[in-house]
Amino acid sequence: MTVTEKVSYLKGLAEGLGVDDSTKEGKVLRAIIDVLDDMASDLASLEDYTEELTEQVDAIDEDLDSLESDFYEEDEDGCGCGCEDGEFYDITCPNCEEEFSVDEETLLEGSIECPNCGEKLEFDIEDCDCDDGECGCGCHHDGEEK
């Protein structure tokens, strides 16, 4: 039984018992039942609003899940970064000291903005001492960029 139904029952009970509106007690009882009726109506409105709001939040959550899965879609290697070997390098911003990771391709571009403070960070990849050109550092071998 809902609150609205219970208040309706009380109204019917008061009428059935013949509560006299001309007495002090009867007036108070009728006023209490009227207040209960208003409260039950407000409560029912709040329940309806809450149900509608819950449905909207659930719809937003589903849309967000869809967007997240599209945005963070995993590549074939499962890393979700777009790189082939999944190798990351940890970088600490000298400005805000926030640590973040970048893939090799981003590192080889030479610069990136800090995702936390927006400071432009530049990377200087120097020639390495590798012999076979398989180090992955992006160094030059025999005039060719790896």
Side-chain angles (χ1 to χ4, degrees), residues 3 13-14 36 62 66 74 88 119:
V3 175
L13 188 62
L36 287 174
E62 288 174 14
S66 176
E74 289 191 12
F88 285 91
E119 179 80 12

Side-chain angles (χ1 to χ4, degrees), residues 60-141:
I60 291 170
D61 187 44
E62 288 174 14
D63 291 345
L64 181 59
D65 284 344
S66 176
L67 287 172
E68 285 176 342
S69 68
D70 289 345
F71 186 76
Y72 295 112
E73 182 177 4
E74 289 191 12
D75 297 330
E76 290 123 22
D77 63 357
C79 73
C81 68
C83 57
E84 291 179 18
D85 60 0
E87 192 168 347
F88 285 91
Y89 299 91
D90 292 329
I91 306 293
T92 302
C93 176
N95 186 45
C96 67
E97 299 183 1
E98 181 74 20
E99 187 174 301
F100 58 95
S101 298
V102 296
D103 62 4
E104 184 176 2
E105 184 180 327
T106 303
L107 191 64
L108 292 175
E109 288 176 8
S111 67
I112 187 174
E113 286 188 11
C114 173
N116 187 46
C117 69
E119 179 80 12
K120 182 176 181 177
L121 308 177
E122 295 184 7
F123 309 111
D124 186 20
I125 308 294
E126 295 181 15
D127 288 341
C128 74
D129 296 332
C130 68
D131 299 328
D132 58 5
E134 298 293 328
C135 67
C137 73
C139 63
H140 299 275
H141 294 280

Side-chain angles (χ1 to χ4, degrees), residues 2 4 40-56:
T2 68
T4 305
S41 176
D42 290 346
L43 183 61
S45 295
L46 284 173
E47 287 172 346
D48 291 342
Y49 177 74
T50 301
E51 185 178 323
E52 181 180 326
L53 191 59
T54 300
E55 289 174 7
Q56 290 176 352

